[in-house]
Amino acid sequence: MKTFTFFLLVIIFFKNDMMAQVQPVLLADNVNRPNLMVIDNNSMYVGDNYNQKIIKININNPTSAPVDLIEGLMGGPYGLTLKDEYLYISELEGGRILRVNLTNPNPVPETIISNLEGPSGLNFIGNNLYIALLSGNKICKIDISQPNPVLEDVIAVESPFDIEKVDKYIYYTQRIASGTVSRFEINNPLATNETIISDISFPSGLILKNNDLYFCRSKGLTVGSDDSGVVKFDINNPVTSEVILPGSIDGPTGLFFLNNDLFISDFYENKIYKAEVFILGTKEIQNGKIQFYPNPAKDFIRINGLGTQKNYKIFDLTGKLIQTGNISRSENTIYVNGMTKGLYFLLLEDGNKFKFMID
């Protein structure tokens, strides 16, 4: 009975992390046709596509009225990205890249380059701003350190929507009925497009968290589709898994991570959602004194930073006690190669708790 009660307390402590899929909660419902977004400290910047403006939302007080940052845009604010004190904005219909200085209490947009064919997603690599041209069917770049940046073609792509740098690659989504998440090598002049995930219904927003790449999937103009959702895959093992329960968001478009909170814009429902996502990775607690890794594990787990010898217990999801033992600063490895794949809980006698996966 004592073991069961102890484990029940741990299950309650970890209950939100045991869900493979999460249900998003409403953050704001006062945004008209929100697209891609960025967050700086506690301020979310997002395009209001219907009213042709950029608004600012206080994510710590989302029920307060959004603040209009920039109004009177020429059409379709889509991509947003931050560099230094500037917010960069793409106008899909206006064909421009703009920027505003966020340190200015009354920012005035500055045109960086114009006459583009449907600029959408933006991503910086150094001073090079990479631009997905949705209508132009290519990804280009400009050097924003130049006084008059010149557009340089990078690679031809059908209907690229959002882009994300991952190591030596740029990943992108294709906003078509049977779209893909694909990639190309950045500094390879002979680079070609490599499809990673195919047959996705109108993929849009793209964001990296640790080794997982998250993307939005929707049904185009079909509101209420059960196929809409947020999906992820490990960049080292591209097998998709659902993150947001399918059908819980009609038109997911933009994604942004702040710590373990995933923010999602819903273009069709005029809303912003937030979901707490279980992120596997090195777990550090007690101000970094104790470090737990690797996670996911395969053959062993290791705990660094222990002071004295401590007893441990490992439970599976059913509450079954799987393994016991002791661990110390010098003997800091626990072998788990005999365990089956799944989620486990490790409890130290001093009250420290860890969750980990066996892969």
Side-chain angles (χ1 to χ4, degrees):
M1 183 65 182
K2 182 178 179 181
T3 300
F4 174 78
T5 303
F6 184 53
F7 180 74
L8 182 60
L9 291 173
V10 176
I11 290 294
I12 293 171
F13 182 84
F14 285 125
K15 63 176 180 156
N16 291 329
D17 293 336
M18 292 167 58
M19 297 294 292
Q21 300 172 343
V22 295
Q23 181 70 42
V25 296
L26 182 65
L27 181 77
D29 61 355
N30 43 14
V31 185
N32 286 303
R33 296 291 188 257
N35 280 309
L36 305 178
M37 71 186 91
V38 293
I39 297 175
D40 185 27
N41 294 321
N42 296 321
S43 296
M44 172 187 290
Y45 300 94
V46 61
D48 182 328
N49 190 63
Y50 183 80
N51 293 305
Q52 307 299 320
K53 62 184 179 181
I54 303 296
I55 62 173
K56 181 171 71 171
I57 298 172
N58 184 342
I59 60 174
N60 288 337
N61 186 20
T63 58
S64 62
V67 175
D68 292 341
L69 181 74
I70 299 294
E71 298 182 90
L73 296 176
M74 291 174 58
Y78 266 63
L80 300 175
T81 193
L82 296 163
K83 184 172 176 61
D84 301 325
E85 69 270 28
Y86 289 97
L87 173 68
Y88 288 75
I89 307 156
S90 68
E91 288 182 323
L92 185 75
E93 298 168 13
R96 299 187 299 173
I97 303 296
L98 312 172
R99 74 177 181 184
V100 293
N101 190 329
L102 296 177
T103 64
N104 188 335
N106 299 297
V108 177
E110 171 191 0
T111 300
I112 302 301
I113 192 168
S114 57
N115 299 316
L116 304 181
E117 298 178 276
S120 181
L122 304 174
N123 202 282
F124 267 107
I125 303 176
N127 286 324
N128 286 321
L129 177 60
Y130 284 76
I131 309 165
L133 297 184
L134 185 66
S135 305
N137 295 314
K138 57 186 175 182
I139 294 174
C140 301
K141 67 179 180 179
I142 57 174
D143 184 348
I144 57 97
S145 67
Q146 299 300 313
N148 296 295
V150 176
L151 192 70
E152 180 183 342
D153 291 351
V154 176
I155 197 165
V157 175
E158 182 183 4
S159 302
F161 186 86
D162 200 11
I163 51 181
E164 181 82 348
K165 179 185 180 295
V166 182
D167 298 327
K168 63 179 181 179
Y169 297 98
I170 282 182
Y171 285 74
Y172 59 87
T173 51
Q174 289 181 284
R175 184 87 172 146
I176 54 179
S178 183
T180 73
V181 175
S182 300
R183 72 180 185 182
F184 64 88
E185 195 171 345
I186 298 168
N187 294 319
N188 183 356
L190 302 177
T192 57
N193 296 302
E194 178 186 0
T195 299
I196 306 301
I197 307 293
S198 60
D199 297 323
I200 310 165
S201 178
F202 293 98
S204 51
L206 194 65
I207 191 75
L208 180 72
K209 181 68 173 178
N210 296 346
N211 285 330
D212 288 328
L213 198 58
Y214 294 70
F215 64 90
C216 296
R217 180 192 62 214
S218 69
K219 274 291 186 182
L221 299 177
T222 305
V223 178
S225 166
D226 287 339
D227 200 33
S228 298
V230 177
V231 184
K232 72 172 183 177
F233 64 90
D234 188 322
I235 58 173
N236 298 313
N237 180 28
V239 177
T240 60
S241 60
E242 303 285 343
V243 178
I244 302 299
L245 293 168
S248 58
I249 300 179
D250 273 334
T253 303
L255 300 173
F256 198 90
F257 263 108
L258 184 63
N259 300 320
N260 285 352
D261 289 331
L262 176 62
F263 294 84
I264 309 145
S265 62
D266 189 328
F267 186 83
Y268 298 140
E269 289 191 333
N270 303 319
K271 297 176 180 178
I272 305 291
Y273 290 94
K274 182 175 77 169
E276 185 178 0
V277 178
F278 174 29
I279 306 296
L280 291 176
T282 298
K283 175 69 175 179
E284 295 185 4
I285 60 175
Q286 292 188 350
N287 298 321
K289 292 181 180 179
I290 298 181
Q291 188 182 53
F292 177 95
Y293 66 97
N295 193 0
K298 187 174 182 181
D299 297 317
F300 66 89
I301 52 178
R302 188 163 289 152
I303 303 179
N304 287 341
L306 293 172
T308 58
Q309 179 175 291
K310 291 178 174 60
N311 296 323
Y312 71 83
K313 295 179 181 180
I314 297 177
F315 296 88
D316 68 11
L317 270 176
T318 69
K320 180 180 178 181
L321 180 62
I322 302 298
Q323 185 171 317
T324 63
N326 54 68
I327 192 167
S328 64
R329 182 184 297 273
S330 59
E331 298 292 334
N332 65 344
T333 301
I334 300 173
Y335 291 96
V336 295
N337 50 312
M339 297 182 189
T340 58
K341 293 182 179 181
L343 180 65
Y344 293 86
F345 303 96
L346 184 144
L347 302 134
L348 298 179
E349 62 178 324
D350 62 3
N352 281 317
K353 313 172 187 69
F354 304 88
K355 52 186 176 291
F356 66 98
M357 292 287 294
I358 299 294
D359 194 1

